[in-house]
């Protein structure tokens, strides 16, 4: 046995059960009480008539009608019981309302259809037999009324169908409609949950993208500013050593260090301006994934006046300016747009040599002449190799002052390999006291692995340090 579709639908939707006992709502309880009262009154009247015909006390007929009519109170909980009671009292010709309401409730409930069909058929047969016997008895008592033989069976069948078919069909329709509405509501709830999950996942992806972008921007700022400032500190340490021996040269070099510091501050301000612009663009819904490339372009523009001042400084006896920013590659316009390239490795090594480091640069492979003159790789590949060499040389300045360094670049089939190795620190070399944030090796590894390459770093048996990277080479640029 089960409840009707109405009560089950309310419970399935999660509505609060505010009615007593098995009623989901108070108005359902009120409706069933009113139906039970009406059915009880009907059955009591019919029970009195049945008691008279059966020569029984009228009180027995009243009590029977009261008991039978009150069964409608449980129609939502046990609809099958209501229909069975209505079939049982059919010979007494009582319970018309009970039968109609019971069949409707049974058809609208989730009772298996075979049970509904069986009970509806039993009701039709019971109504047919009861009506047939009653009509035949009435016709027999009227001597002047002789209808054809088929009239009584046809009328009995019509009465049985009229009293049974409408409530059953209407109940089936209501039950199917309730189930459809409930299915649509569950589907809508499911879609809402899916949309909520998708929104949560989108927020997680957005947060991940923001973190990735912050990491890329921080890596670019580290590469662009740290190298220049590191060389500036190295020059400052050298000035301290020659200040008393050659005051004029120390003064010129101090001016050069001041210029380098001002240029570093200028680059930092420009990069912070790019970050603010990128944040504003992201707030308006545009993608800000090109922020690192814009940082590289800013640093490339800042490199032009620095290179113009370097030859004059050398001629005056000063130390050439170290440039850790991103230089251009190829033509000026193209280089500024793309950032550093393999063609700038020679200048990068020259800056470290000018700062007092002994650096050897060698190129293996099909490239001939200057570094990067024979082959042209994708911009990200060349920038990654440049950054690895730049950061490795910066680490030599920081952690191994006076050590010899060797930079090897190898053009292989389908890949580009680079290795920077330095020997042990010289005992009489002055330590510049450069701070280390521990982000250099992490940044190099992230850059290389982002392109599908391999990055290895570690100390050597001779007491030095080695950094190696192999980057897959994309199609040569046109």
């Amino acid at each position: 046995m089960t409840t009707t579709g109405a009560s089950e639908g309310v419970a399935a939707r999660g509505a609060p059960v505010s009615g007593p006992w098995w009623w989901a709502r108070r108005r359902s309880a009120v409706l069933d009480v009113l139906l039970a009262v009406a059915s009880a009154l009907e059955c009591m009247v019919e029970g009195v008539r049945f008691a008279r015909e059966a020569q029984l006390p009228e009180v027995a007929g009243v009590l029977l009608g009261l008991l039978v009519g009150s069964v409608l109170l449980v129609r939502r909980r046990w609809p099958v019981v209501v229909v069975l009671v209505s079939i049982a009292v059919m010979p007494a010709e009582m319970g018309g309302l009970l039968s109609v309401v019971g069949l409707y409730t049974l058809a609208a409930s989730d009772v298996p259809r075979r049970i509904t069909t069986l009970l509806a058929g039993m009701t039709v047969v019971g109504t047919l037999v009861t009506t047939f016997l009653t009509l035949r008895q009435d016709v027999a008592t009227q001597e002047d009324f002789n209808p054809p033989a088929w009239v009584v069976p046809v009328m009995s069948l019509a009465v049985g169908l009229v009293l049974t078919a409408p409530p059953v069909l209407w109940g089936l329709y209501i039950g199917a409609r309730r189930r459809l509405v409930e299915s649509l509501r569950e589907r809508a709830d499911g879609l809402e949950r899916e949309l909520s999950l998708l929104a949560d996942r989108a927020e997680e992806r957005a947060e991940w993208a923001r973190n990735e972008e912050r990491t890329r921007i921080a890596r670019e700022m580290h590469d662009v500013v740290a190298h220049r400032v590191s060389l500036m500190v190295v020059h400052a340490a050298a000035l301290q050593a020659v200040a008393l021996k050659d005051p004029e040269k120390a003064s010129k070099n101090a001016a050069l260090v001041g210029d380098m510091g001002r240029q570093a501050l200028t680059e930092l301000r420009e990069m912070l301006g790019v970050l603010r612009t990128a944040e504003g663009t992201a707030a308006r819904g545009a993608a800000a994934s090109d922020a690192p490339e814009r940082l590289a372009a800013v640093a490339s523009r800042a490199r032009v006046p620095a290179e113009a001042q370097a030859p004059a400084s050398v001629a005056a006896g000063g130390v050439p300016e170290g440039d850790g920013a991103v230089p251009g590659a190829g033509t000026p316009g193209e280089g500024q747009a793309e950032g550093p390239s393999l063609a700038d490795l020679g200048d990068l090594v020259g800056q470290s040599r000018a700062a007092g480091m002994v650096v050897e640069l060698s190129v293996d492979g099909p490239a001939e002449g200057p570094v990067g003159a024979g082959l042209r790789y994708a911009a990200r590949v060349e920038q990654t190799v440049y950054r690895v060499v730049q950061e490795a040389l910066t680490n030599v300045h920081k952690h191994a002052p006076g050590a010899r360094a060797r930079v090897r670049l190898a053009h292989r089939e389908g890949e580009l390999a680079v290795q920077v190795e330095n020997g042990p620190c010289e005992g009489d070399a002055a330590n510049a006291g450069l701070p280390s944030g521990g982000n250099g090796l992490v940044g190099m590894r992230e850059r290389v692995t982002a392109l599908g390459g391999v990055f290895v770093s570690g100390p050597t048996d001779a007491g030095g340090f080695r950094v190696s990277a192999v980057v897959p080479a994309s199609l040569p640029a046109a």
Side-chain angles (χ1 to χ4, degrees):
M1 309 301 175
T2 181
T3 59
T4 63
S7 60
E8 273 198 351
V10 174
R13 289 193 295 271
V17 179
S18 58
W21 297 339
W22 52 81
W23 287 287
R25 294 173 295 182
R26 287 191 177 90
R27 65 179 183 179
S28 300
V30 172
L31 176 61
D32 288 353
V33 169
L34 293 178
L35 290 175
V37 170
S39 179
L41 292 176
E42 177 198 5
C43 292
M44 288 168 62
V45 173
E46 295 172 345
V48 171
R49 184 184 61 186
F50 173 73
R52 290 174 181 174
E53 293 177 357
Q55 297 181 356
L56 295 174
E58 294 183 359
V59 177
V62 172
L63 293 177
L64 178 62
L66 179 62
L67 180 61
V68 171
S70 301
V71 175
L72 278 181
L73 290 174
V74 297
R75 71 182 186 94
R76 298 178 187 269
R77 187 67 178 271
W78 298 296
V80 175
V81 173
V82 176
V83 176
L84 290 176
V85 171
S86 68
I87 295 174
V89 298
M90 278 184 182
E93 298 182 0
M94 58 189 300
L97 179 61
L98 176 68
S99 177
V100 172
V101 176
L103 288 174
Y104 164 78
T105 306
L106 178 67
S109 68
D110 291 334
V111 173
R113 289 292 166 256
R114 63 179 182 273
I115 298 179
T116 302
T117 304
L118 176 62
L119 293 179
M122 292 174 61
T123 303
V124 171
V125 173
T127 305
L128 174 63
V129 172
T130 303
T131 305
F132 178 79
L133 294 176
T134 303
L135 289 177
R136 192 176 66 172
Q137 185 178 2
D138 292 341
V139 170
T141 57
Q142 298 180 7
E143 298 178 356
D144 56 345
F145 180 66
N146 295 315
W150 57 268
V151 172
V152 174
V154 171
M155 289 295 294
S156 301
L157 179 61
V159 171
L161 293 178
V162 168
L163 294 179
T164 305
V168 171
L169 295 178
W170 183 249
L172 291 175
Y173 166 74
I174 294 299
R177 183 176 176 273
R178 285 191 185 121
R179 285 186 287 271
L180 176 61
V181 171
E182 184 62 28
S183 175
L184 293 177
R185 183 176 287 107
E186 291 178 356
R187 186 177 301 177
D189 293 341
L191 291 176
E192 184 177 356
R193 288 191 296 269
E194 289 183 9
L195 289 177
S196 178
L197 291 176
L198 290 177
D200 294 341
R201 292 176 182 174
E203 181 63 25
E204 293 176 358
R205 288 194 296 267
E207 183 64 25
W208 177 83
R210 285 192 291 268
N211 293 334
E212 283 292 312
E213 196 65 23
R214 292 191 192 102
T215 302
R216 292 179 61 191
I217 293 173
R219 189 165 56 237
E220 287 293 334
M221 293 184 65
H222 176 272
D223 292 340
V224 170
V225 178
H227 186 67
R228 180 186 292 277
V229 175
S230 298
L231 290 180
M232 186 175 66
V233 174
V234 172
H235 284 297
L239 289 177
Q240 186 179 6
V242 300
L244 299 178
K245 299 179 181 179
D246 192 348
E248 182 178 357
K249 182 177 179 181
S251 177
K252 294 179 180 179
N253 290 343
L256 180 59
V257 171
D259 292 339
M260 295 172 63
R262 284 187 290 273
Q263 291 175 7
L265 289 176
T266 300
E267 293 178 18
L268 182 59
R269 291 192 188 99
E270 292 185 4
M271 284 185 291
L272 292 177
V274 170
L275 292 179
R276 293 192 184 98
T277 304
E279 290 176 358
T281 303
R284 292 191 298 269
S289 60
D290 60 340
E293 287 73 9
R294 297 177 63 189
L295 292 175
V298 168
S300 300
R301 290 195 296 271
R303 179 181 180 273
V304 176
E307 291 181 344
Q309 294 179 1
S313 301
V314 174
V319 181
E321 177 187 354
D323 189 0
V326 183
T331 62
E334 180 184 359
Q336 292 174 4
E338 293 184 357
S341 63
L342 296 181
D344 300 304
L345 285 180
D347 296 336
L348 182 64
V349 172
Q351 294 162 15
S352 295
R353 289 172 179 168
M357 181 189 299
V358 179
V359 186
E360 176 186 352
L361 175 63
S362 62
V363 180
D364 300 331
E368 298 178 358
V371 178
L375 291 177
R376 179 69 173 172
Y377 297 93
R380 290 188 62 189
V381 174
E382 297 196 8
Q383 291 172 16
T384 299
V385 173
Y386 181 93
R387 293 302 189 194
V388 170
V389 176
Q390 182 187 56
E391 183 61 29
L393 292 179
T394 301
N395 288 340
V396 176
H397 284 291
K398 288 182 180 181
H399 307 292
R404 294 175 174 267
R406 182 180 182 184
V407 180
R408 299 181 58 188
L409 182 66
H411 299 274
R412 302 173 184 172
E413 183 178 357
E415 62 184 16
L416 183 62
V418 63
Q419 182 184 88
V420 180
E421 181 179 352
N422 64 273
C425 177
E426 297 293 338
D428 56 348
N431 191 342
L434 290 170
S436 175
N439 297 319
L441 293 177
V442 175
M444 286 188 282
R445 183 181 302 277
E446 289 177 350
R447 286 181 177 277
V448 174
T449 55
L451 299 181
V454 178
F455 178 83
V456 180
S457 63
T460 62
D461 295 337
F465 200 84
R466 180 186 297 116
V467 172
S468 302
V470 179
V471 182
S474 59
L475 293 178

